[in-house]
Amino acid sequence: MHEITPQEQERLLTFMRRHRKRLMAYPNVRAVDVGFAFKRQRPSDRLAIRVHVNRKLPASDLPDADRLPDEIDGVPVDVIESNPVPDAEFRHSRQDPALGGISIGNVKGGGPGTLGSIVFERGTLRPLALTNWHVVVANPAVAMDPIIQPDPVPPDPEPPNSFLGRLLRWDEGLDAALCSIGEQDGTRSRSVSTRIADLPLPAAGSKPHTVGLRVVKSGLRTGVTNGIIDGTDGLEFSVVVDNGLPPPQGALGGPGDSGSLWLDRETFTAVGLHFASVTDPEVRAWGHSMSAICDKLNVFVLDDVAIGTAWIGGHCRVLAQTRANAPCNLRVVYPSGRTSRASGLGPATADAQGLARWQWRIGTSTGRRPGMKLNAFVTLDGTEHLVTTELEGTPDVT
């Protein structure tokens, strides 16, 4: 192997980014990167786009649609089998930014469980931590209970600075609960990430679950496991083993995995919240509908761009997910056709977690028009997205 130049690496990375989404859509793909191709399990001097799969299968065992290309525009594609074991110390240690797949619990006991994902409150776009009701709600249930991350494993003592936030709301029937990130006054807060531990991409929105869907989760106890939804009553669904990707520990879940997200394996769209599993007489796991949980608890899973409530005379916010430190821009056009020049709009840079944020004030004289919406044109790393919303409130016409 030889060391390549930064310019050569950047050219390869630019090329990879153009094709990454397409390659990630293939079944069994865990990650895509650039580097040396492998030959007989040893790195060669040939550079390639490398596709990491949980299990490498002979091409003859795959349907044509599932076979990865040998090359793209003359650049070789190398398929590498890699199924890393999650680092238990990472999941059980304090994390800042907070992210999915790590330990969480109530100071009164009941955990530890898994912080499923950072989700966002509709309207305010406030970040919140989502997990199971039975993980963070004590008996009796008390709003504003302190929630900690990590939740120590007895007899380990509670680590310093483990405070994550306050229990806000929950639904026992859907076994789901939310906590704030930090105190209500903004103190003791942490940064957040939409990533989920040991998964190559963050959750990308939510959708209803369907029987036959291939899914993946990342939990505190069993790490990353894959399965297939085999039945549902509309709100609750069950998951069985995908024989092509058997769970490394022989189980789809275990104590501590409660609260992890079940995701569509191809798109990483959230479909459910894991709450139980068994290994006898068969290996099976259960989850509740993510769409129902989002509606009941008034939250959403971020997918590209979201806009908050747009109050005339108040503030509006836009939140976006993109590449870390990517250049971004926001342009807002009101129902009248006027482009806003308010402070807080325009260029921005995504943070180290790939999150970009804007906030601006909507003038009291901004008018509403029947059937016309506020248009927010968000440019993320060179790609433009459009989100729209109704204006709320009444303009001051005095």
Side-chain angles (χ1 to χ4, degrees):
M1 294 186 294
H2 64 283
E3 183 176 354
I4 65 176
T5 66
Q7 294 77 16
E8 189 176 10
Q9 177 169 297
E10 188 55 39
R11 282 196 297 270
L12 270 175
L13 286 171
T14 301
F15 182 84
M16 179 209 71
R17 292 181 189 118
R18 290 203 299 266
H19 300 280
R20 187 170 187 262
K21 188 173 182 179
R22 167 195 165 191
L23 293 171
M24 287 296 303
Y26 280 85
N28 195 27
V29 173
R30 189 187 63 78
V32 177
D33 67 6
V34 300
F36 295 109
F38 274 63
K39 187 174 183 179
R40 297 188 184 93
Q41 298 184 330
R42 296 182 65 83
S44 68
D45 267 342
R46 187 180 68 154
L47 291 169
I49 303 297
R50 310 189 313 174
V51 180
H52 297 259
V53 297
N54 292 294
R55 187 181 179 192
K56 193 171 181 178
L57 301 172
S60 58
D61 291 353
L62 295 170
D64 290 345
D66 291 350
R67 294 178 187 174
L68 285 154
D70 294 326
E71 63 175 39
I72 299 176
D73 295 343
V75 177
V77 174
D78 188 33
V79 180
I80 298 174
E81 181 174 328
S82 61
N83 194 13
V85 177
D87 186 343
E89 287 302 317
F90 176 85
R91 294 180 185 268
H92 283 282
S93 61
R94 184 184 188 275
Q95 296 302 319
D96 188 357
L99 72 163
I102 59 177
S103 169
I104 190 173
N106 189 313
V107 292
K108 296 177 180 177
T114 300
L115 193 168
S117 178
I118 296 298
V119 295
F120 297 89
E121 189 171 52
R122 293 172 178 171
T124 68
L125 307 189
R126 175 172 59 154
L128 304 171
L130 173 68
T131 188
N132 279 151
W133 168 86
H134 77 259
V135 168
V136 292
V137 179
N139 186 15
V142 178
M144 303 303 288
D145 265 355
I147 304 303
I148 54 176
Q149 189 292 306
D151 187 18
V153 178
D156 293 345
E158 181 181 331
N161 301 318
S162 62
F163 176 83
L164 177 67
R166 299 281 179 179
L167 180 64
L168 296 182
R169 51 186 183 268
W170 57 85
D171 187 276
E172 184 177 356
L174 291 171
D175 201 353
L178 295 169
C179 84
S180 65
I181 307 297
E183 297 282 13
Q184 298 300 292
D185 61 3
T187 59
R188 294 209 283 174
S189 190
R190 302 189 203 181
S191 56
V192 298
S193 171
T194 56
R195 287 179 46 239
I196 298 176
D198 213 48
L199 291 181
L201 295 172
S206 61
K207 68 178 182 181
H209 60 275
T210 52
V211 172
L213 184 69
R214 286 172 166 78
V215 290
V216 62
K217 71 146 196 40
S218 177
L220 184 68
R221 176 68 175 270
T222 58
V224 176
T225 54
N226 296 270
I228 301 174
I229 295 178
D230 72 312
T232 181
D233 66 3
L235 288 178
E236 182 180 302
F237 60 86
S238 60
V239 180
V240 294
V241 171
D242 181 346
N243 291 328
L245 291 169
Q249 300 184 35
L252 288 170
D257 285 336
S258 293
S260 49
L261 255 59
W262 284 107
L263 309 168
D264 180 328
R265 197 187 304 162
E266 292 191 6
T267 64
F268 286 85
T269 306
V271 297
L273 194 65
H274 174 87
F275 68 90
S277 61
V278 296
T279 56
D280 186 34
E282 61 184 355
V283 177
R284 186 180 293 272
W286 286 268
H288 282 122
S289 164
M290 194 66 188
S291 297
I293 289 170
C294 286
D295 288 342
K296 188 71 175 181
L297 298 182
N298 196 37
V299 293
F300 66 93
V301 181
L302 181 62
D303 183 12
D304 292 331
V305 182
I307 188 169
T309 304
W311 283 103
I312 296 173
H315 288 89
C316 186
R317 297 176 177 87
V318 166
L319 175 70
Q321 174 77 53
T322 182
R323 176 176 61 85
N325 306 311
C328 307
N329 189 73
L330 172 60
R331 179 172 62 91
V332 169
V333 179
Y334 290 123
S336 64
R338 175 177 65 86
T339 297
S340 176
R341 300 188 183 280
S343 174
L345 301 176
T349 301
D351 65 18
Q353 312 308 319
L355 292 172
R357 301 172 177 85
W358 294 265
Q359 176 177 300
W360 75 101
R361 185 176 180 276
I362 300 174
T364 56
S365 62
T366 303
R368 299 169 62 182
R369 293 194 176 184
M372 301 294 287
K373 295 185 177 182
L374 178 154
N375 291 324
F377 298 90
V378 186
T379 303
L380 304 175
D381 207 15
T383 301
E384 187 173 77
H385 305 259
L386 170 64
V387 286
T388 64
T389 189
E390 299 280 355
L391 275 176
E392 305 286 345
T394 303
D396 184 355
V397 294
T398 60

